[in-house]
Each structure stands twice: as C-alpha cells, then as structure tokens.
Amino acid sequence: MCAAEQVPVQAVLRRVDPKEIPFETTSEVAPEVEIIGQPRAVEAVRFGIAMRADGYNLFAVGPPGVGKQTLLRQFLDQQAADEPAPSDWLYVFNFKDAHRPRALSLPAGRGAALRSGMQWAVGELRAGMRTAFEGEEHRARRQRLINAFKEEQDHAFAEIQERARQRNVLVVRTETGIMLGALVDGRPIEPSEFHALPEAQQEVIEKAIDEVREELQRFNRRLHESGREHASALGAFDRETASAVARRVLDEVRTVFSDVPVALAYLDEVELDVVERAPEFLEGGNEGIEATLRRAFKNEPSEGPSFRRYVVNVLTDASEQKGAPVIYEPNPTHPNLLGRIEHVSHFGALLTDFTLIKPGALHRANGGYLLLDVIEVLRSPFAWQGLERALRAREIRMDSLGQLLGVIATTSLEPEPIPLDVKVVLIGERHIHALLALLDPHMPELFKVLVDFDEAMDRAPESLARYASFVARLVRQEKLAPFSREAVARVLEHAARLAGDADKLSVRMRPIVDLLREADLWATAAERPIVAAADVQAAIDAQVRRSGRVRERLLEAVRRGIVLIETGGARVGQVNALSVLQIGEQSFGHVSRISARTRAGKGEVVDIEREIELGGPLHSKGVLILAGYLGGRFGASTPMPVSASLVFEQSYGSVEGDSASLAEACALLSALAEVPLTQALALTGSINQHGEVQPIGAVNEKIEGFFDVCRERGLKGEEGVIIPRANVQHLMLREDVAAAIAEGRFAIHAVTSVDDAFTLLSGATDLDARVGKRLSALNEAARAARGPSPA
C-alpha cells in the first residue's frame, strides 16, 4: 500500500496575511531599537560585556549578513556610554636613555594640555633664557665674579713679584708666559752682566730664582684650582639663572597639572634637563630632525639647539571621548593593531625618535572595546600572533615587522610597553572559530565567550509583528519611502523563503536590506510614494534575472535537446533527479537524468561518478548506503547474483551530496524489477539503510527547477515532484508554482519510504515479487553456466 500524500496547495506557500502587520505603512512605527531573532547571542554579549575577568573576550560566529557587527556595535555603544573615558597615553623623551621612550598615563583630555603646555614652555624658555642671560643685571653680576677672580689673581701675582724683587729676582708676565731675571740695585741686568758678577753673588741670585720659580709653580697650581672653582661658580651662577627661568616657566605648567603626580615628575625632569642645556636656548633656531636623530643615536654632542626632546607625543587623546571607546579596525595589520615606529631616511640610514611613534587600534581601544574581523586578522602576517601576545601579557609592546623578521638591522627604539585593558570582540564564521580552537591552544583561553548567531527565528504571530516592526526600522534607517502593509507582508514571505523553512524567518538582514532598497527603487520608477507588494515582487524577480544567465542556458539546453531530459512517458532504470546550483547569493534547481543498468554479477553497485573521481565523499556515502539497503532487503539469505552501475548522465563536473540517493534507489529497483518509471515525476531525497526517506536541503529551488523544465514543454497535469515528507514544512514555493498546483497542472508528492516513491513512479505494488523473480532467474542462469555439480 502506498503511503504517499499529495501536498495541498495551502502547504506549498504559506502566505503572510497583511492583517497580521500591525500598521498601515512603516512610517507609523516608532523608531525603536530592537534586536530580533538572536536571544542566545544577546545573552552571550551581555555576559561577555559584564564579565571583567581575564580571557573573557568575545568571539562572534555566524553566517555573513545576520547582523553580527550591528548587534555587537549596538550593545557595545550602549555599555561604553556608561563607562568612564580612558586615560590619555603619551610618549616622552627618556632623559636617561634616548632609545627607550617613557610612556605616561594622564587623565582623559590632559595629554593634549601637557603637549600644548610644553610647546608654550619651550617658546617661553627660549625667550626667557635670552632675556635673563643678556640682561644688565646678569651681565653685571657675572662680570663682578670675573673681575673678583681676576683681582684675586693679580693681587697674588703682585705679592709674588714683590717678594721676588726683595730677593733681587725680576718676575715679568709676558704673552708667552712668565719670565724670571736677576736684579742688581733694583735694576734688571742682561745675561752678560749676570755672568760678570762674582760667583758667590751669582749663586745667591740663582738660588733666589729657583725659590721664586717653585713659588710660581705653587701659584699656578693654586691658580688652576681657583680657576676651576671660579668656573664652577660661574656655572652655578648660570645654572641659578637658568633654574630661575625654568622654574618660573615650568611652574606655570605645573599649576595646570598640580593634581597629576606623573606630569609633575616629568616636569621636574624637564627642568633639570633645561638647566643643563641652558646654552642651547641662547643659540639660533631649532635644528632639523635628521641632525637631531643622527647625534642622538651616535651619542654625539649637540651642535645646536634641539628642542624635540621636550615634545610630548600624545598617542591617544580622550579629550572629546564620551564614555569608553568602541573601535572597529577594518584593516588589522600588525602595525595597525599594535602601532608602528616611523623612520626618516638620512643618507641611506633610517633614523627615528619618540615623536615618530604612532598608535595602533589597541592603543585607541585601550580602556574600551575593539572589534575585529578575524579573517582579516589571520590574513595579515604576524597580526594574530601580535594580538595574542598583547592579550596574554596585558600590555602593548611595539615591535616592527622588520625586527620580527630579522631583515632590518638599523638601530631603533624600545618604547616602554603600555598596560592593556581592552575587551576584544572577534567576528567570523563558525568554521574559523573551530579551526582556531583546534590549532591554537591559546585561543580558548583568550576568547572564552562564544556569541553564536542564528540564521533564522521561529515564525509565529508575535514574531511576525516584531519582524514587521524591525523592517519598518530598516526602512527608516535607510531613508526609504514608506512600505505598505502588503509590501511588508511580501518581505516577510521572502524572509521565510530565505530561511528555507515555512516555519522560520531568516534573520540574515543583508539580503533583506538589499530587497528593501531595490523595492524602493522600483516604487520610485513607478512614481509611487508608498512601496507596494508589486514593487517588492519586482525587486525579487529582478534579482533572479540578474543572476539567471546560467539557469537560462541550462533550460535552453534542455529545450533544444542538448541535455536529455524527458518529462513524459516511462523508462526502465531511468529517473529525473534534482540538484541545486548556486551563483552568488542566488541558487536554482537543476534536473539531471540518473540511469541504472543491471547484469549478472556478485552483488556490487558501481558508482561511475566515484570510479572516475567526480563523486564527492557524501555522494559516495549515499551510494554505499544504497548498496547496504539493497543487500539487506534482497540479499539477506542468499547472495545477490547481480551487479549494477549508476551514473549521472551528461554530468561533467563533480557530484556531491546524498540528496539523489532516493532517485538512485528507484532507478536501481526499476532496472532490477524491469519496471518502467514515469518521467513526468522528478524526485529528491536521501535514504538510510532501512529504505526510509530523509529530508534534504534547497527543496524549493529543486521543485522550481523541474517546474521550469515542464513549463517550457507545456504542463499536462501529470508532472510533479516527489519529496521527503519531512520537507513539506520547508515549502515556500514561487507564486507561479503554487498557482499551477492550485489549478491541478502540477503536483507535489510527499513520501516516507523508497517503496512509496517507487509506487508513485511505477504504479507497481509488487516490487518484492518482481525483484525476487528477476533474482531467481539470474540464479538459475548462473547455475546453468557453471554446469552440473560433481557427484
């Protein structure tokens, strides 16, 4: 007895009654923000945001177009608005080690103030130093110190001269040094006169000269010591003057940052450095960066003033930030994530300093939230490793790619790492999450919150109303013309079609938004102020046409007899199977002929697609299940003396999936029982080893594919499609197909077993007897071929 059922027209296209739409047009709906169809994802996002322990970063997974980024951004923006703005981060010169710039954290908005303050201070210091050092008071005091030292020197030298004169020794200061000579009666004498003196007098004078010479040496030593003391005194005086100027100027900046200890400590370091470098403030204009960097990295002395060391490099500025930052980085390369150190070229050498440190997305998101597309992170060399390293260490450390790869040997900076406090949200598809969890042991430790987005939501009266309101919000958001309730009802029907299930509504919003935009264009072209259901249908039809070239060429090939498909009559071992092809966002059904041949053999089923390696693993699995079904049903007690071959006719590409196993089973049974099958029916479905029919995907596209072939040839009322009964709930067919079914020109049959499908195709109800008769005949033929058994 056949348990197949003909599906009623009410079940092939479940309409949305416009009366279920709670408004006349979308303009009546208040612009409320609501997320539909994602309760699990919403719960996970709320949990991930609230959980502040280490490692509770979020990994959002789901197919493209379900609104992952929109939902996440909405929740993160709401949460971030209630959180405090993060601190400003800046890099300043390290006065102890120029290669290791210091990182400072200042309250939000204070970094820019410190930068401005230091810019003002440098200008004031340059003017103030010149005024102070070139002023009359400083010059006079400095000159008095110099004169006092000179007078002290002159007085000491005069005393030495007087004591020498009393010993008849002349001490004279010349341009080449100090000269000593003999005095006789207070008068200098020439060397010839000296040698004419008595030897005793010469010895007395020579002894006196030696004593004076020793005294002069002691004087010179004291002179050097006092010179150093004098220079030190002058330096101390200059430093006192410079310190007074620096203190006066920097105190102005200190008053602004009296509540920021780290800024005060930095200003103290600046003051000490300014005092030591006071002469530079008296010289000309600022030197170029190349000269500054060249000397800094070679530890050379300054050749001129350089005030870049007093620049404040504000890495992140939260002065205009309202709440915590929410950053989306569309191009997450290693430098864009972790920052970079720029260089300038100088005669072939690459030089840099702390003012050329640039922030990355982690810096900008520090203290807030960072959204990243995981596939873009994985595409960028070292980006994933850098992100993991920063999250594990909880600090942002800048390493250039050149240094990581070992291809740049130039001297570079080692900026102080910045502490990291950020919630990272990765967005990707499920298989990426699964692969990372399998291959990277650190990923589950760092991304503990899985945000799993659904593709569809349940279709119920209350959910239809919510979905309709959400459509209204999308219309308003896209600034489109209002949609009528009939147009919204048609959009909801299309959402069910996209879900591939009459009891579901697709929450993949990208195709829905595209449909709304395109329907608005059709309404504009028709000069309608309100978008009607006809405009929505026109947009759907246009989408199909734009991607329909391949579909139309396949239909043309069938129509012209290039692809051999019969839609009438009956054939042994031949059925029409249905498959689906996808071009971009659009998919469509395609009819393929499956043929089976049987012959005497040992019970094997040869899958020709598998033999030539065109059959995918799932298709091969389906054929093996089919072989198991046949063996269990007809060869349980005795071996089957038959072999069979199966093939997709005129198939020149790969074949994948098991949705043709029901058609293959019917073709094989037809060949075994030698019973013809009608070609007016096509079928789809998979089977198990017990002959039960299992549901398959894309049932709507497959039915419509066969319908289009039959319509090309003219519907006679006998055409139809056999589908698994479990797929009836998925039916959301095109209006023209539903109309043909309502008129009795096309039919959908639902089955639960191979026997149901075979009975529909053949009309035979004695399948086991027919197959048994054929197998008995083959057994007899096999025994006859072997001859009589030996006694």
Side-chain angles (χ1 to χ4, degrees):
M1 179 179 179
C2 178
E5 296 178 356
Q6 185 167 331
V7 181
V9 66
Q10 296 82 0
V12 302
L13 176 57
R14 281 184 57 189
R15 298 282 190 179
V16 174
D17 188 348
K19 294 180 181 178
E20 297 184 75
I21 307 302
F23 49 80
E24 287 292 335
T25 70
T26 55
S27 60
E28 302 172 9
V29 181
E32 297 178 357
V33 177
E34 182 184 12
I35 301 298
I36 62 170
Q38 303 293 352
R40 179 184 292 102
V42 169
E43 179 185 353
V45 171
R46 285 176 173 160
F47 168 77
I49 292 175
M51 177 59 73
R52 291 296 174 178
D54 289 347
Y56 283 86
N57 298 293
L58 287 73
F59 201 128
V61 298
V66 295
K68 297 188 291 294
Q69 186 171 334
T70 302
L71 182 146
L72 291 166
R73 191 64 188 254
Q74 177 178 319
F75 273 91
L76 293 179
D77 286 342
Q78 291 174 354
Q79 177 68 23
D82 298 331
E83 297 181 4
S87 302
D88 290 348
W89 280 99
L90 38 142
Y91 275 111
V92 296
F93 186 78
N94 187 339
F95 297 103
K96 297 178 180 179
D97 189 346
H99 293 267
R100 293 177 172 82
R102 290 181 52 208
L104 301 183
S105 174
L106 269 65
R110 308 295 290 277
L114 182 59
R115 176 178 58 194
S116 300
M118 286 304 301
Q119 289 174 345
W120 171 85
V122 168
E124 286 294 309
L125 286 169
R126 295 178 68 183
M129 290 292 185
R130 290 183 179 181
T131 300
F133 279 86
E134 295 175 3
E136 289 298 329
E137 181 182 354
H138 177 81
R139 288 174 180 269
R141 289 184 60 188
R142 201 171 196 279
Q143 191 60 47
R144 284 197 295 270
L145 288 175
I146 295 173
N147 291 340
F149 176 68
K150 188 173 182 301
E151 289 175 2
E152 181 182 349
Q153 283 184 319
D154 292 344
H155 179 72
F157 188 76
E159 289 180 348
I160 292 175
Q161 283 181 314
E162 177 60 25
R163 286 194 295 271
R165 188 184 63 77
Q166 292 175 1
R167 297 178 185 179
N168 294 319
V169 177
L170 175 66
V171 179
V172 180
R173 181 181 290 169
T174 67
E175 293 181 358
T176 59
I178 297 176
M179 302 294 295
L180 300 180
L183 291 175
V184 175
D185 298 329
R187 179 181 62 81
I189 61 175
E190 296 293 332
S192 57
E193 293 181 83
F194 175 77
H195 291 300
L197 295 175
E199 289 184 4
Q201 188 176 0
Q202 289 183 27
E203 289 178 358
V204 171
I205 293 174
E206 286 177 349
K207 182 179 179 182
I209 289 174
D210 290 339
E211 290 175 350
V212 170
R213 183 177 290 111
E214 291 178 0
E215 187 174 357
L216 283 173
Q217 289 175 350
R218 290 193 296 272
F219 169 75
N220 284 333
R221 285 194 294 271
R222 290 197 305 272
L223 183 63
H224 286 304
E225 291 175 1
S226 60
R228 285 195 296 271
E229 293 173 357
H230 174 68
S232 177
L234 286 177
F237 174 65
D238 288 342
R239 283 193 295 275
E240 180 184 350
T241 302
S243 179
V245 174
R247 187 177 303 109
R248 175 180 60 80
V249 172
L250 292 175
D251 278 349
E252 293 289 328
V253 184
R254 287 189 179 98
T255 57
V256 180
F257 295 94
S258 59
D259 58 335
V260 187
V262 66
L264 295 177
Y266 167 68
L267 292 172
D268 291 344
E269 294 179 5
V270 170
E271 181 177 333
L272 293 175
D273 191 73
V274 167
V275 171
E276 293 300 319
R277 290 176 169 266
E280 294 185 8
F281 287 86
L282 305 177
E283 299 180 19
N286 203 352
E287 69 178 1
I289 181 175
E290 293 87 354
T292 303
L293 300 182
R294 183 182 67 249
R295 289 198 323 278
F297 281 94
K298 291 184 178 180
N299 294 319
E300 294 179 352
S302 175
E303 298 172 354
S306 173
F307 307 121
R308 292 180 63 84
R309 63 199 293 117
Y310 307 122
V311 172
V312 174
N313 181 6
V314 179
L315 213 62
T316 60
D317 181 8
S319 57
E320 299 181 3
Q321 181 72 44
K322 306 299 182 184
V326 180
I327 303 297
Y328 172 69
E329 175 54 59
N331 184 29
T333 62
H334 185 276
N336 287 354
L337 274 179
L338 289 99
R340 65 189 185 278
I341 303 172
E342 295 182 346
H343 294 73
V344 295
S345 178
H346 179 75
F347 295 112
L350 295 176
L351 304 176
T352 187
D353 74 349
F354 73 100
T355 65
L356 297 179
I357 299 174
K358 304 300 178 183
L362 284 172
H363 296 95
R364 291 183 283 117
N366 204 5
Y369 305 89
L370 175 61
L371 283 84
L372 298 171
D373 189 336
V374 66
I375 194 66
E376 296 299 329
V377 176
L378 294 173
R379 282 185 180 136
S380 302
F382 295 100
W384 176 257
Q385 294 89 333
L387 176 63
E388 273 198 339
R389 189 161 50 246
L391 292 176
R392 293 179 64 197
R394 300 189 66 188
E395 65 179 20
I396 311 172
R397 183 180 297 274
M398 287 193 183
D399 295 311
S400 70
L401 282 178
Q403 291 173 313
L404 290 174
L405 294 171
V407 297
I408 296 181
T410 184
T411 303
S412 188
L413 300 178
E414 296 179 17
E416 181 181 354
I418 291 178
L420 180 62
D421 178 20
V422 68
K423 182 80 72 173
V424 177
V425 182
L426 295 181
I427 303 173
E429 296 188 42
R430 293 187 179 93
H431 69 280
I432 299 296
H433 177 269
L435 285 173
L436 285 174
L438 177 65
L439 300 175
D440 188 342
H442 302 303
M443 196 280 284
E445 300 175 5
L446 298 175
F447 296 91
K448 297 181 179 181
V449 182
L450 177 65
V451 184
D452 197 349
F453 282 76
D454 285 320
E455 294 89 344
M457 61 184 288
D458 291 336
R459 176 177 174 176
E462 61 275 10
S463 60
L464 284 174
R466 291 179 59 209
Y467 203 109
S469 298
F470 186 76
V471 169
R473 175 192 148 198
L474 293 176
V475 169
R476 187 186 299 270
Q477 179 179 302
E478 294 293 321
K479 299 180 180 179
L480 307 176
F483 278 55
S484 68
R485 67 183 349 154
E486 293 78 12
V488 174
R490 185 66 190 94
V491 171
L492 267 60
E493 290 173 357
H494 188 65
R497 170 59 184 257
L498 291 176
D501 192 332
D503 294 325
K504 299 286 185 180
L505 295 172
S506 172
V507 291
R508 292 182 60 234
M509 288 301 135
R510 186 172 64 194
I512 296 297
V513 172
D514 290 344
L515 178 61
L516 296 177
R517 293 169 179 159
E518 294 167 24
D520 175 75
L521 180 63
W522 281 94
T524 302
E527 298 182 349
R528 276 193 285 268
I530 297 178
V531 180
D535 300 314
V536 177
Q537 187 60 50
I540 294 172
D541 295 340
Q543 289 178 348
V544 173
R545 281 195 303 274
R546 286 196 298 272
S547 60
R549 185 187 64 84
V550 175
R551 170 179 165 273
E552 292 173 2
R553 293 296 176 267
L554 289 172
L555 284 174
E556 179 185 7
V558 173
R559 182 176 65 250
R560 297 173 61 187
I562 298 171
V563 175
L564 302 180
I565 298 294
E566 297 181 45
T567 57
R571 298 285 183 181
V572 174
Q574 177 179 303
V575 293
N576 291 323
L578 300 174
S579 59
V580 66
L581 302 177
Q582 184 158 356
I583 306 295
E585 292 286 335
Q586 296 293 328
S587 55
F588 59 90
H590 175 58
V591 186
S592 300
R593 173 184 288 179
I594 292 180
S595 65
R597 296 298 299 269
T598 58
R599 60 194 178 277
K602 298 180 181 179
E604 71 272 8
V605 177
V606 177
D607 176 13
I608 295 178
E609 309 296 336
R610 180 186 179 187
E611 294 297 319
I612 60 173
E613 298 183 352
L614 284 180
L618 294 180
H619 177 261
S620 298
K621 176 185 176 182
V623 174
L624 293 174
I625 290 173
L626 168 58
Y629 160 70
L630 292 175
R633 180 169 181 176
F634 301 109
S637 56
T638 60
M640 292 177 60
V642 64
S643 294
S645 59
L646 280 170
V647 69
F648 275 73
E649 303 287 0
Q650 294 184 283
S651 171
Y652 307 106
S654 61
V655 176
E656 181 59 306
D658 64 349
S659 65
S661 58
L662 174 60
E664 291 170 328
C666 290
L668 269 177
L669 291 173
S670 171
L672 276 174
E674 297 181 327
V675 176
L677 304 179
T678 178
Q679 302 298 293
L681 296 177
L683 67 165
T684 183
S686 68
I687 65 171
N688 59 28
Q689 292 193 99
H690 298 286
E692 297 170 330
V693 178
Q694 303 168 146
I696 43 79
V699 65
N700 294 296
E701 289 82 358
K702 292 175 180 178
I703 292 172
E704 291 165 357
F706 188 64
F707 174 82
D708 291 336
V709 170
C710 296
R711 185 176 57 180
E712 287 269 338
R713 294 177 173 176
L715 294 171
K716 302 178 182 62
E718 60 183 10
E719 295 88 355
V721 175
I722 300 172
I723 65 170
R725 182 173 294 174
N727 280 122
V728 172
Q729 61 191 318
H730 302 143
L731 294 178
M732 281 295 294
L733 296 173
R734 293 193 320 240
E735 290 197 29
D736 56 342
V737 182
I741 293 172
E743 296 167 3
R745 296 185 296 122
F746 197 76
I748 307 296
H749 304 277
V751 298
T752 58
S753 67
V754 174
D755 285 351
D756 293 344
F758 189 83
T759 300
L760 280 172
L761 290 169
S762 65
T765 57
D766 54 347
L767 174 62
D768 287 344
R770 290 172 181 266
V771 173
K773 182 179 178 181
R774 175 77 189 284
L775 294 178
S776 296
L778 290 172
N779 274 322
E780 290 296 331
R783 281 195 293 269
R786 289 196 298 269
S789 300

